[in-house]
Amino acid sequence: MKQDIQNREDIALLVSEFYKKVRQDDVLGPFFNDTIKHWDQHLNHLTTFWETSLFMTKKLEQKYYGNPLEAHVKVDKNYNHSITELHFGIWLNLWYQTLDELFEGDVVENAKRRARKMGTFMYLKIFEARQK
């Protein structure tokens, strides 16, 4: 029986397994593998992002600081504005797949909702940035 996401260790497992899939994906892999040079650091950063997002972490040393929108706009620019809704769809499907393989429960469903909203927002903002 699967359990719900309960702590940072669960999120670290989720993030690690998810990005294994992303890095092996024929469509997403090149973007991520060519852009991210320090994977351990990046996975830790993303674990903190999701921990903050899902558990509303208040501790300053565990709270996420960063600008993911700026990072994604830069990647889109570096790849000649070639990021499309297909990329976000694949990303979201892999996220859902990884969540469903590892966990079940209310936090999992919240992680799905947040990822869907974040992906939509991110894609719209990338598109908007292209107009400037």
Side-chain angles (χ1 to χ4, degrees):
M1 177 117 185
K2 297 178 201 167
Q3 294 185 345
D4 206 347
I5 298 170
Q6 299 177 28
N7 52 43
R8 182 176 177 85
E9 291 75 25
D10 288 346
I11 294 171
L13 174 64
L14 168 63
V15 167
S16 175
E17 293 302 309
F18 169 67
Y19 279 98
K20 283 180 188 175
K21 289 178 175 63
V22 167
R23 292 181 77 183
Q24 294 172 358
D25 185 82
D26 291 339
V27 176
L28 297 182
F31 287 95
F32 286 87
N33 293 322
D34 293 344
T35 301
I36 299 165
K37 303 301 179 205
H38 305 286
W39 273 98
D40 289 343
Q41 181 181 356
H42 191 67
L43 294 174
N44 187 55
H45 196 61
L46 292 171
T47 297
T48 301
F49 170 83
W50 282 105
E51 181 182 28
T52 300
S53 180
L54 296 175
F55 297 133
M56 304 301 171
T57 306
K58 301 278 191 236
K59 296 178 185 175
L60 290 178
E61 68 274 8
Q62 294 176 338
K63 189 171 182 179
Y64 174 81
Y65 294 97
N67 189 338
L69 177 57
E70 182 181 302
H72 287 80
V73 166
K74 183 179 176 183
V75 170
D76 181 58
K77 185 177 180 182
N78 290 344
Y79 283 88
N80 200 28
H81 304 295
S82 61
I83 294 176
T84 69
E85 65 278 0
L86 172 68
H87 297 96
F88 283 96
I90 293 169
W91 180 88
L92 191 61
N93 283 338
L94 291 174
W95 182 251
Y96 279 28
Q97 179 186 40
T98 308
L99 281 163
D100 289 340
E101 286 171 0
L102 298 172
F103 305 102
E104 66 183 10
D106 292 339
V107 178
V108 169
E109 295 308 311
N110 189 27
K112 290 177 181 179
R113 280 190 302 275
R114 287 182 179 273
R116 187 175 56 249
K117 287 180 181 180
M118 182 178 60
T120 300
F121 175 79
M122 195 79 65
Y123 181 67
L124 291 173
K125 289 299 184 179
I126 286 172
F127 185 77
E128 186 178 279
R130 292 176 185 174
Q131 309 309 311
K132 294 181 181 180

